[in-house]
Amino acid sequence: MTEHIQYSPEKDALVLLDQRYLPTREEWFVCKTVSDICEALVVMVVRGAPAIGVTAAYGCYLAGREVVANLAPGADWKPVLAAKLEEIASARPTAVNLRWAVRLMQAEWARHPEFSLDELCVFWLAKAKVVHAEDIATCEAIGKAGADLLADGDTVMTHCNAGALATAGYGTALAPIRAAVEQGKKIQVIANETRPFLQGARLTAYELHKDGIPVKVACDNACALLMQRGLVQKVIVGADRIAANGDAANKIGTFGVALLAKEFGIPFYVAAPVSTIDPETADGSLIPIEDRTPREVTHVGTTQITPDGVGVFNFAFDVTPAKLIHGIITERGVLTAPYTEAIATLFK
Ligand code: MRU
């Protein structure tokens, strides 16, 4: 599945499969402006760290086009464009791929100070297409690196959606599963439903089912029982940001799954591209955790499920300490503890 993020030359727009409505409706969300891109990121039309990065790369190009269209004659376009890039970079705080993609585009701009705005736009669109294509190749490499960790007959638990929909295609956590299946192994998946946005129930189940990989959805609170009954052989999750010491931020609930995996002696892996590792963040306590709108918890669809006036928590991510992680599966191989050294070597 790669068609969920598309640049349309006819519309000169980024066209996104709207993940809010899956699996029941396939609707498309068209982004022509920075405000469209930021809305798509904030309300989670598109989500998942690498997919956010790809969207942001196209967003920088669209920012340039918007400035071209609206700039007063003779005005300096550079500060206006720089402000728009910062707007994109700050749409969501936890997934480092968002900032990574914007910084990449800024670095290209800095390397070509001679470019006119039109030239920069042409250059950025080409660069965004490269980021897009490379993300798929990166995910496939993650799959190759991680497939040998899975044995024929394994059931793998995953939390949230770190699949094709969360990337440009193929996925991160789902990549070793896909690669193992391509090797002929029989693998089954347990998708934790992932309250409140239900990425597991709606999205992981949708894409695996579509691709013929056996998947069952479990309520988040069934995790301990399923592990206790021996129904889970491995856990693989994605990440939104991995700190320099290997602590990994991922969807809320991941930390609990990791603690349970330790209790039951089940290997717990994180699969992520190197762009998700943030060597500037020393440890997990420094990773900003997104606090989202209460409405996602107080309502299911349009139905209110909590009493009026009762507060809720809606932290979107938690941080799994490195000591609970058996390996970090990247496109450059599987990192193992001690992670501080492994990550430092990677960035040398
Ligand atoms: O809030 P979301 O849906 O963007 O959160 C996504 C996750 O937590 C994913 O596991 C993570 O971004 C990795 S996606 C390959």
Side-chain angles (χ1 to χ4, degrees):
M1 183 186 294
T2 53
E3 68 286 356
H4 55 288
I5 303 176
Q6 297 171 28
Y7 168 71
S8 159
E10 300 77 34
K11 295 191 174 87
D12 192 19
L14 186 67
V15 181
L16 301 166
L17 179 59
D18 195 330
Q19 298 190 25
R20 291 173 297 176
Y21 306 124
L22 292 175
T24 47
R25 278 171 17 230
E26 291 187 0
E27 290 192 16
W28 298 88
F29 187 96
V30 178
C31 300
K32 290 187 170 220
T33 63
V34 169
S35 135
D36 295 336
I37 289 282
C38 290
E39 184 184 346
L41 293 167
V42 170
V43 304
M44 299 209 288
V45 167
V46 61
R47 29 66 48 206
I52 287 173
V54 172
T55 302
Y58 284 110
C60 293
Y61 159 72
L62 291 174
R65 299 293 300 150
E66 195 177 341
V67 174
V68 169
N70 297 309
L71 202 69
D76 184 1
W77 54 272
K78 291 181 179 169
V80 183
L81 181 57
K84 286 192 184 291
L85 298 196
E86 287 314 317
E87 211 182 309
I88 296 170
S90 57
R92 291 188 74 188
T94 305
V96 77
N97 305 59
L98 176 60
R99 213 183 58 195
W100 170 86
V102 174
R103 299 288 173 255
L104 189 78
M105 302 303 253
Q106 281 169 329
E108 296 292 351
W109 181 11
R111 257 195 288 279
H112 295 283
E114 75 283 6
F115 275 175
S116 69
L117 181 49
D118 280 325
E119 286 169 330
L120 184 62
C121 286
V122 172
F123 187 77
W124 269 354
L125 178 57
K127 186 72 193 171
K129 288 179 181 172
V130 170
V131 169
H132 192 170
E134 280 182 354
D135 188 60
I136 302 178
T138 298
C139 289
E140 286 170 352
I142 291 172
K144 280 206 180 75
D148 288 346
L149 300 171
L150 302 181
D152 191 23
D154 273 356
T155 296
V156 182
M157 175 176 278
T158 190
H159 193 77
C160 193
N161 170 260
L165 287 164
T167 61
Y170 209 73
T172 59
L174 298 192
I177 296 168
R178 291 183 187 282
V181 169
E182 284 160 19
Q183 288 174 352
K185 293 177 190 162
K186 284 201 166 50
I187 306 288
Q188 301 177 72
V189 179
I190 296 177
N192 292 340
E193 65 174 349
T194 321
R195 274 278 293 156
F197 199 70
L198 303 174
Q199 288 93 331
R202 297 189 302 106
L203 308 177
T204 300
Y206 168 83
E207 62 172 86
L208 289 178
H209 187 62
K210 206 166 170 160
D211 291 344
I213 298 175
V215 57
K216 280 189 177 166
V217 172
C219 298
D220 295 328
N221 44 13
C223 184
L225 178 83
L226 297 177
M227 289 186 177
Q228 189 184 43
R229 291 196 167 184
L231 297 176
V232 181
Q233 279 71 54
K234 310 274 159 50
V235 177
I236 310 182
V237 299
D240 285 81
R241 190 186 300 218
I242 299 172
N245 71 342
D247 292 349
N250 192 51
K251 181 53 54 192
I252 190 81
T254 302
F255 180 22
V257 175
L259 284 168
L260 287 166
K262 182 175 170 59
E263 169 69 16
F264 293 105
I266 298 167
F268 177 96
Y269 296 100
V270 172
V274 172
S275 57
T276 298
I277 302 176
D278 180 7
E280 288 168 21
T281 299
D283 64 58
S285 69
L286 300 168
I287 298 177
I289 300 293
E290 183 178 8
D291 190 2
R292 291 182 61 82
T293 169
R295 199 186 154 90
E296 288 177 349
V297 175
T298 58
H299 288 67
V300 173
T302 52
T303 307
Q304 185 172 332
I305 58 165
T306 58
D308 281 336
V310 172
V312 299
F313 291 107
N314 192 15
F315 294 114
F317 300 96
D318 58 25
V319 177
T320 300
K323 65 179 181 192
L324 296 177
I325 301 171
H326 271 68
I328 300 176
I329 309 165
T330 75
E331 70 275 27
R332 288 169 56 189
V334 181
L335 310 182
T336 50
Y339 291 109
T340 304
E341 284 78 352
I343 289 172
T345 306
L346 200 65
F347 280 88
K348 237 177 216 160

